[in-house]
């Protein structure tokens, strides 16, 4: 496990890069959510079930689209992101839409102490790759959940992360699927965040590739129980590949739950 100082150094450097691009990542407009719109996929909503009245924390919430979507379903939502530029965008969107979400600037490895006893901790598309230490992350998640609470991770599949389309039914390997704690040597343009993609000099990011097996193992080791795992193709994510795109995983969902029978776990929140 990385030391707190090491985690801080990695995430602090990424924070600078995120701040430089978030103005170009506005997401959906406020009126979309004011009209009842949702940025959540049907599979995410189905994996969680009823959320009305439940406390949800979204880690790496970006400009707030998913957090506002959970709030539209009746949840009490807090969204945190390392970028103050992203949080400013999210707060403005929340106010304009008239939807209450508590958006806070925070590093997920240094969360405010009151964010505990949660019903759901949620991470979405392009979040887990910024986590430098799965053990520290899974431990933090388990400590913050109430008994019976769950974590839901919906993300790009690491197979998609390491493959680049070079033509119809043609791919090349651009990264190490088993890289784990070794940061990616480079990020393919198609995999860069919106705002950094298709630019002459994108900002530098430290990102990681985590096989789903490692994520699940970390959550189990933290005392959680696996309650859902699924993989699915999305044709457009392998743009230009052709029909073969439907034969490859593009996304996956993991849900793990803290058993009620375990009672209240010891907390080491600082």
């Amino acid at each position: 496990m990385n030391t707190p100082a090491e985690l801080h150094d990695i995430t602090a450097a990424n924070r600078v890069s995120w701040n430089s691009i978030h103005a170009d990542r506005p997401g959906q407009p406020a009126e979309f959510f004011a009209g009842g719109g949702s940025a959540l996929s049907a599979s995410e909503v189905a994996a969680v079930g009823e959320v009305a009245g439940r406390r949800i924390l979204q880690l790496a919430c970006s400009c707030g689209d998913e957090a506002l979507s959970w709030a539209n379903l009746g949840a009490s939502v807090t969204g945190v992101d390392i970028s103050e530029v992203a949080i400013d965008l999210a707060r403005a969107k929340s106010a304009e839409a008239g939807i209450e979400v508590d958006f806070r600037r925070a590093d997920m490895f240094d969360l405010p102490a009151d964010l505990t006893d949660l019903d759901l901790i949620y991470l979405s598309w392009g979040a887990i790759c910024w986590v430098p230490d799965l053990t520290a992350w899974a431990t933090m998640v388990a400590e913050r959940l109430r008994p019976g609470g769950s974590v839901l991770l919906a993300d790009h599949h690491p197979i998609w992360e390491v493959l680049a389309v070079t033509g119809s039914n043609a791919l090349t390997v651009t990264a190490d699927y088993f890289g784990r704690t070794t940061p990616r040597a480079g990020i393919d343009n198609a995999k860069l965040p919106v705002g950094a993609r298709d630019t002459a000099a994108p900002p530098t990011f430290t990102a990681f590739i985590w096989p789903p097996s490692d994520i699940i193992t970390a959550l189990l080791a933290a005392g959680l129980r696996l309650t859902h795992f699924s993989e699915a193709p999305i044709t457009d994510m392998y743009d230009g590949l052709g029909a073969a795109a439907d034969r490859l995983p593009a996304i996956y969902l993991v849900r793990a739950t803290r058993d009620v029978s375990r009672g209240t776990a010891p907390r080491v929140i600082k």
Side-chain angles (χ1 to χ4, degrees):
M1 185 185 294
N2 295 89
T3 67
E6 290 169 334
L7 292 175
H8 177 269
D9 288 347
I10 293 169
T11 55
N14 279 337
R15 177 185 178 187
V16 173
S17 294
W18 281 113
N19 278 339
S20 73
I21 66 171
H22 253 303
D24 296 320
R25 297 169 54 83
Q28 293 287 351
E31 55 265 28
F32 174 78
F33 299 102
S38 176
L40 301 168
S41 69
S43 58
E44 291 171 279
V45 175
V48 174
E50 178 61 53
V51 299
R54 297 174 67 190
R55 294 183 67 216
I56 295 179
L57 169 65
Q58 182 180 3
L59 302 177
C61 70
S62 187
C63 60
D65 285 8
E66 291 88 2
L68 290 164
S69 300
W70 289 119
N72 265 347
L73 292 175
S76 174
V77 185
T78 298
V80 301
D81 197 278
I82 198 168
S83 165
E84 56 265 39
V85 178
I87 291 299
D88 286 346
L89 286 169
R91 286 172 176 166
K93 191 182 299 186
S94 174
E96 185 179 348
I99 301 170
E100 184 177 353
V101 173
D102 180 13
F103 286 110
R104 307 192 199 181
R105 210 300 301 175
D107 186 329
M108 72 173 73
F109 290 103
D110 188 23
L111 291 173
D114 66 304
L115 296 180
T116 189
D117 295 316
L118 297 157
D119 294 292
L120 178 70
I121 295 176
Y122 167 73
L123 296 89
S124 72
W125 320 105
I128 199 68
C129 63
W130 307 109
V131 172
D133 189 316
L134 279 186
T135 299
W137 170 78
T139 300
M140 176 275 294
V141 164
E143 290 168 352
R144 299 278 175 166
L145 291 171
R146 67 164 181 80
S150 297
V151 56
L152 177 69
L153 172 65
D155 217 315
H156 310 133
H157 201 288
I159 285 290
W160 175 80
E161 294 282 357
V162 306
L163 296 178
V165 176
T166 57
S168 180
N169 206 25
L171 296 162
T172 187
V173 179
T174 62
D176 184 0
Y177 183 90
F178 300 105
R180 296 186 169 99
T181 57
T182 301
R184 297 184 66 157
I187 303 179
D188 179 53
N189 178 69
K191 312 304 189 300
L192 283 169
V194 172
R197 203 175 302 160
D198 299 318
T199 59
T204 300
F205 290 99
T206 300
F208 303 84
I209 295 174
W210 295 110
S213 57
D214 285 27
I215 296 168
I216 291 170
T217 298
L219 292 169
L220 294 175
L224 302 182
R225 176 173 55 88
L226 182 67
T227 52
H228 178 91
F229 176 65
S230 60
E231 302 166 290
I234 294 182
T235 305
D236 291 347
M237 286 179 62
Y238 292 97
D239 187 35
L241 184 62
D246 290 332
R247 304 170 193 168
L248 290 170
I251 62 170
Y252 70 99
L253 270 69
V254 174
R255 182 182 178 185
T257 300
R258 182 177 166 191
D259 283 338
V260 175
S261 61
R262 291 180 178 272
T264 302
R267 299 201 180 265
V268 294
I269 298 169
K270 298 180 181 179

